[in-house]
Amino acid sequence: MISRRYHRIALVAVFVLALAAGVVIATVGLPQRIAATVAASATTSETDQLRAERDTLAARQASGDEFTALIGPDVVRDTLTGVPVTVVALGADPADTRAVAELVAAAGGTVAAEVVLTPAVTDPARADQLRDLSARLLPSGAQLPASSEAGALAGGLLGAALLVPADGAAPDPQQASAVLAGLAGGGFAEQPTGDPAAGRLAVVVTGEQFGGVDAVGSAATATALAAELDRRGAGAVLAGRDAAAHGAVGAARAAGDPLSTVDGVGTGAGRIATVLALAERNGGGTGHYGSGDGSEGPVPAVPQRSVG
């Protein structure tokens, strides 16, 4: 028998997440409208009205985030029971990574390891060094992908060290520690804390879109890293703050990579969607969620749970 209480929570959650996505879209467009109005020599009252509209929508988004933060643990509860998840941060706001990790725990999963990669990973000037280091740090018996893309090689290295393959044994924790220490020594990761364990799934949390003349290449590197992690273990989810073309999520969707993606991870709705996408990936499904280009909806289907 399905819990009526859970049905109510799920329905409210989906409604709030969809509403939050709409508020985000409206809020994002307002700065451009204000600039256009000013450029057209608008009156002060018109500009003030637009700014007031922006502030109202921002306040609604903040209220929605507060509410989704409260209901989030109930929505995701038991969706990742007993599942170890490797959390990889690549240009992410620490608050986003921390919130996703906390929701993984609320879903019944565990954070097997948390890896914070530095901007050097997506720096084209450091690509040769990253390729060389990936080959040198590779655990014995493991293989890197047949690719020259630095992001794919780094993803293969992390996957070999931190994820349980579908048809093999868990990686050696000592070798995993050596890989993380080696990446930190090369400037590609922060110094690890604690002893890493093997994950079944991986979530790569990113931030805003990349800037500068190398933005396209940086986004492709981040996408390749996440896509290679998706090929290891039971899969991966790539989550970012938006779906801009020069961001990891936007690049992954444009490339047609099979891994799941979520935009809006800076919001409560996006964080819930990220954990539900992990649960969906654990069951063999994929999808693209959020409010940006290429998304299929705000969140994956909320799984039903039995009681009794």
Side-chain angles (χ1 to χ4, degrees), residues 119 122-124 207-220 242 244-248:
T122 56
D123 182 357
E208 308 285 355
Q209 65 175 322
F210 295 95
V213 296
D214 296 319
V216 172
S218 295
D242 54 44
H246 291 171

Side-chain angles (χ1 to χ4, degrees), residues 110-137:
T110 59
V111 176
E114 188 169 340
V115 182
V116 181
L117 300 177
T118 70
V121 170
T122 56
D123 182 357
R126 303 285 303 277
D128 285 341
Q129 184 182 356
L130 182 57
R131 292 186 189 97
D132 178 68
L133 195 60
S134 296
R136 288 194 290 110
L137 292 176

Side-chain angles (χ1 to χ4, degrees), residues 30-43 45-48 50:
L30 270 173
Q32 287 78 14
R33 290 169 56 194
I34 292 173
T37 302
V38 173
S41 301
T43 64
S45 62
E46 290 173 325
T47 303
D48 289 345
L50 285 173

Side-chain angles (χ1 to χ4, degrees), residues 196-209:
R200 172 177 169 81
L201 298 166
V203 56
V204 180
V205 185
T206 64
E208 308 285 355
Q209 65 175 322

Side-chain angles (χ1 to χ4, degrees), residues 84-225:
V85 179
T86 298
V87 179
V88 179
L90 179 55
D93 186 312
D96 295 345
T97 308
R98 182 170 59 252
V100 168
E102 289 173 352
L103 274 181
V104 166
T110 59
V111 176
E114 188 169 340
V115 182
V116 181
L117 300 177
T118 70
V121 170
T122 56
D123 182 357
R126 303 285 303 277
D128 285 341
Q129 184 182 356
L130 182 57
R131 292 186 189 97
D132 178 68
L133 195 60
S134 296
R136 288 194 290 110
L137 292 176
L138 187 67
S140 59
Q143 290 185 332
L144 291 176
S147 172
S148 61
E149 218 298 328
L153 295 174
L157 173 66
L158 288 172
L162 298 172
L163 294 176
V164 181
D167 55 354
D172 183 344
Q174 291 186 336
Q175 288 187 328
S177 295
V179 166
L180 296 182
L183 287 172
F188 293 101
E190 294 184 5
Q191 287 292 339
T193 58
D195 296 323
R200 172 177 169 81
L201 298 166
V203 56
V204 180
V205 185
T206 64
E208 308 285 355
Q209 65 175 322
F210 295 95
V213 296
D214 296 319
V216 172
S218 295
T221 297
T223 296
L225 185 149

